[in-house]
Amino acid sequence: MDTFALIVTIGVALGFTYTNGFHDSANAIATSVSTRALTPRAALAMAAVMNLAGAFLGQGVAHTVSSGLIETPTGDKGMGILFAALLGAIVWNLVTWYFGLPSSSSHALFGGMVGAALAGGTEVIWSGVLDKVVIPMFVSPVIGLIVGYLVMTGILWMFRRANPHKAKRGFRIAQTVSAAGMALGHGLQDAQKTMGIVVMALVIADVQGADDPIPVWVKIVCAVMLSLGTYAGGWRIMRTLGRKIIELDPPQGFAAETTGASIMFGAGLMFGAPISTTHVITSAIMGVGATKRVNAVRWGVAKNIVMGWFITMPAAALVAAGSYYVVQLLFG
């Protein structure tokens, strides 16, 4: 039964990673596709490869998820808590994908973990949730907005005398690099979040110790599933990011992607902070768009997106708590 529960939990964790991939593929490539720097399929293939590479860049985010947010639960109850946490995250991912809302898969996962832990009587490390999730949730979009605005202002000043058509052509080529950086950062951040969950499952099942290094097979399967999900593509969300917030041109797309990638690398490699790719790129697009003129950004769409960010963690927590009670009822 223990082995079966472990296999099912790891399977559901990989299912979450797949939904994370197609839900968040828009983060990496929506701007490149909307500015026609890359065709959709070429962009998705590039994003899938870079996601795979990014997953192997560090372990800080995975360690935060596996040991910094909730106390590692034990036994069958522990596996039930993890299963319910993942279910809460997957359900919220699918709901927001259906409505084309670029919500955060990361915060759906964290909300699921907290909700399931509370329902299962496992201690939540509130200081870790505050430091590593809640504060970055508010800080990273503000930084994205400001840095996006500053980077775009710098580009406009540097190329103020350039031929507009030549400049756009150059930035279209540059966008292939910035989109690759965005996808690499997404792999660094999001593949590691699932690695952290799988490590927790292995610790609960007594397969490995809490301080052991992440097994290579865990890195590979998490990275591959994220890449496969990315290649499947989340077209609904891509339309929201690429077109509905603002009509982007290549210089703006380059500025937004460069901003997003820089923030993700900084947070992941320097602080091991699991920030939301969605929050960073969306706020960077808003900051970049505001350099044109403030009302060029469709703030009504932006408001709906930001409201979705605030709802994500509580909603996923409620679904996860409900899932835990159902699991307990069925399997006790």
Side-chain angles (χ1 to χ4, degrees):
M1 181 61 190
D2 287 352
T3 308
F4 177 71
L6 175 63
I7 291 167
V8 169
T9 304
I10 290 174
V12 175
L14 295 178
F16 166 75
T17 309
Y18 185 83
T19 67
N20 188 345
F22 76 69
H23 192 280
D24 289 5
S25 56
N27 298 332
I29 63 166
T31 47
S32 302
V33 172
S34 71
T35 61
R36 296 183 174 80
L38 293 167
T39 64
R41 278 293 157 206
L44 282 169
M46 179 273 294
V49 171
M50 297 310 278
N51 264 323
L52 193 63
F56 293 91
L57 287 180
Q59 298 189 8
V61 172
H63 286 310
T64 297
V65 173
S66 65
S67 58
L69 304 178
I70 64 172
E71 292 292 344
T72 303
T74 53
D76 288 344
K77 188 173 109 170
M79 213 60 87
I81 287 170
L82 273 196
F83 179 81
L86 290 161
L87 215 57
I90 289 170
V91 167
W92 187 250
N93 268 0
L94 293 175
V95 168
T96 49
W97 165 79
Y98 182 79
F99 289 106
L101 265 182
S103 72
S104 166
S105 294
S106 310
H107 289 143
L109 178 61
F110 305 147
M113 288 172 73
V114 169
L118 290 172
T122 291
E123 191 183 335
V124 176
I125 305 167
W126 291 111
S127 59
V129 173
L130 182 69
D131 293 347
K132 297 289 187 180
V133 179
V134 177
I135 291 173
M137 180 172 109
F138 287 99
V139 172
S140 61
V142 172
I143 293 173
L145 196 72
I146 294 168
V147 175
Y149 184 87
L150 294 175
V151 168
M152 192 62 215
T153 303
I155 286 171
L156 289 170
W157 186 81
M158 284 164 68
F159 291 89
R160 65 193 184 283
R161 293 194 181 91
N163 177 305
H165 294 297
K166 275 188 182 173
K168 280 187 180 179
R169 202 160 51 238
F171 276 107
R172 238 182 220 119
I173 296 163
Q175 262 199 280
T176 56
V177 179
S178 59
M182 194 69 209
L184 197 67
H186 183 245
L188 163 72
Q189 281 280 342
D190 286 33
Q192 283 194 48
K193 286 160 193 166
T194 309
M195 287 178 209
I197 293 289
V198 174
V199 165
M200 273 184 104
L202 294 172
V203 171
I204 291 167
D206 245 357
V207 174
Q208 73 167 59
D211 298 321
D212 292 352
I214 300 169
V216 175
W217 70 266
V218 172
K219 292 184 180 182
I220 292 169
V221 292
C222 291
V224 167
M225 287 303 285
L226 186 71
S227 288
L228 290 174
T230 299
Y231 192 67
W235 303 108
R236 289 169 185 264
I237 292 169
M238 213 176 293
R239 278 193 289 275
T240 302
L241 276 182
R243 295 269 177 215
K244 288 186 181 174
I245 297 174
I246 184 171
E247 295 280 343
L248 292 167
D249 61 21
Q252 290 172 325
F254 174 79
E257 287 168 345
T258 303
T259 300
S262 306
I263 293 169
M264 283 192 296
F265 280 117
L269 295 175
M270 290 167 67
F271 305 107
I275 62 165
S276 167
T277 334
T278 312
H279 291 190
V280 169
I281 189 64
T282 310
S283 57
I285 289 171
M286 291 177 199
V288 163
T291 58
K292 201 183 250 182
R293 60 185 190 283
V294 172
N295 64 356
V297 178
R298 297 184 184 105
W299 295 107
V301 176
K303 185 190 78 176
N304 291 343
I305 291 168
V306 172
M307 279 175 66
W309 294 353
F310 287 108
I311 296 166
T312 293
M313 277 186 74
L318 283 171
V319 176
S323 303
Y324 177 76
Y325 291 127
V326 171
V327 168
Q328 285 300 102
L329 208 65
L330 296 175
F331 302 105

